[in-house]
Amino acid sequence: GSGEAITLAAGIYQYALNTTGGQNYSSTPLIDMQTLTVNKAQSSTSLAFDKASPQTYGTSITPTCSVAIGVGTPALTMNGTAITSGNPLTLGAGTYQFNCSLAESQNYTSSQNTSIFVINQAVPDLTYYLNGLTQNITLQYPQKVNASAYTTGGTMNIFRNGTAVTAENSINITLAVGYHQYEFNATGNQNYTDVSSKFLFASVTKGASTVYTYVNNIRSNITIDSGTSIYLNGTLIAGEGPIQLYNNG
């Protein structure tokens, strides 16, 4: 009717003005015609995260996609793959593109809201020991060395004097006399960084040799008469190499 306020859907409308006349005027079927165009309103979406970018691997994030202006159900994608809004995600290290979009409707245009989220690599823990200690050790040959290491991510490596000995992890090993350098590190992967080398040293000193001397198969002094024969022998109990027996030095 004339002078009324109405809300129209988007579209094209034609208005015709006429008069039906009256006591003093005749009717006029068409006085004027006007076209009214109602454009679609601009829609918008909201894309929010429970945590700010960047985060570290192992931390979950929750993206939420909603309609700010418009009607309909928004769609959420991550790197082009549809995901569910409001569901927590634990992602590998990398860069991810999130898109919250709304399709065009009768009265609203389409819209989208994009955001980049970065997950950084985590730094793993590396623990390392020589004979259960986190310090240099000194041993006497043939005491054994036990090198052990553990990492929370990536691949753990052990080197001795520059040679890879990871297969000896937590195994007792007898080393030659000398100074031995142990190197421990971790090689990273998609989700973990490298861990730089840490060093410990094992010093192995010469062991004490032990020789037993027997007289007539007895390890004790004896008293004999002059001219009596005796059986004298020596046995190497600990150590290596030849032994020699001396009479009065």
Side-chain angles (χ1 to χ4, degrees), residues 13-104:
Y13 300 87
Q14 286 189 331
Y15 283 85
L17 177 64
N18 59 35
T19 178
T20 58
Q23 178 181 358
N24 299 314
Y25 293 94
S26 63
S27 64
T28 304
L30 181 62
I31 299 175
D32 192 15
M33 178 175 286
Q34 297 289 332
T35 299
L36 173 65
T37 300
V38 179
N39 294 323
K40 293 185 178 184
Q42 178 65 51
S43 70
S44 65
T45 57
S46 172
L47 176 57
F49 297 86
D50 64 327
K51 300 178 182 70
S53 177
Q55 291 293 319
T56 301
Y57 172 73
T59 302
S60 67
I61 63 171
T62 302
T64 303
C65 172
S66 60
V67 176
I69 300 174
V71 293
T73 302
L76 178 61
T77 62
M78 180 185 71
N79 292 349
T81 300
I83 61 174
T84 302
S85 173
N87 276 9
L89 302 172
T90 300
L91 303 173
T95 300
Y96 299 86
Q97 182 180 67
F98 290 84
N99 187 319
C100 175
S101 62
L102 182 65
E104 183 180 25

Side-chain angles (χ1 to χ4, degrees), residues 128-133 135 137 139 143-150 158 160 168-175 182 184 200 202:
Y128 52 98
Y129 307 92
L130 287 183
N131 289 10
L133 303 174
Q135 62 189 39
I137 61 173
L139 304 173
Q143 289 179 308
K144 297 181 182 296
V145 177
N146 185 306
S148 57
Y150 313 90
I158 303 176
R160 182 177 62 244
E168 296 178 0
N169 186 24
S170 300
I171 297 176
N172 293 327
I173 300 295
T174 300
L175 299 178
Y182 277 89
F184 307 86
L200 290 176

Side-chain angles (χ1 to χ4, degrees), residues 174-249:
T174 300
L175 299 178
V177 171
Y179 201 56
H180 303 274
Q181 180 194 70
Y182 277 89
E183 177 183 357
F184 307 86
N185 61 39
T187 303
N189 54 28
Q190 176 191 351
N191 298 319
Y192 291 96
T193 65
D194 294 341
V195 177
S196 59
S197 293
K198 315 297 180 183
F199 297 91
L200 290 176
F201 297 88
S203 178
V204 181
T205 62
K206 290 184 177 182
S209 298
T210 302
V211 175
Y212 286 173
T213 303
Y214 297 85
V215 178
N216 290 346
N217 295 320
I218 299 173
R219 286 191 61 231
S220 62
N221 298 328
I222 63 173
T223 300
I224 61 173
D225 294 331
S226 177
T228 302
S229 298
I230 61 172
Y231 176 72
L232 181 66
N233 72 294
T235 301
L236 180 64
I237 302 301
E240 56 188 23
I243 61 175
Q244 293 179 318
L245 291 175
Y246 295 89
N247 180 21
N248 293 329

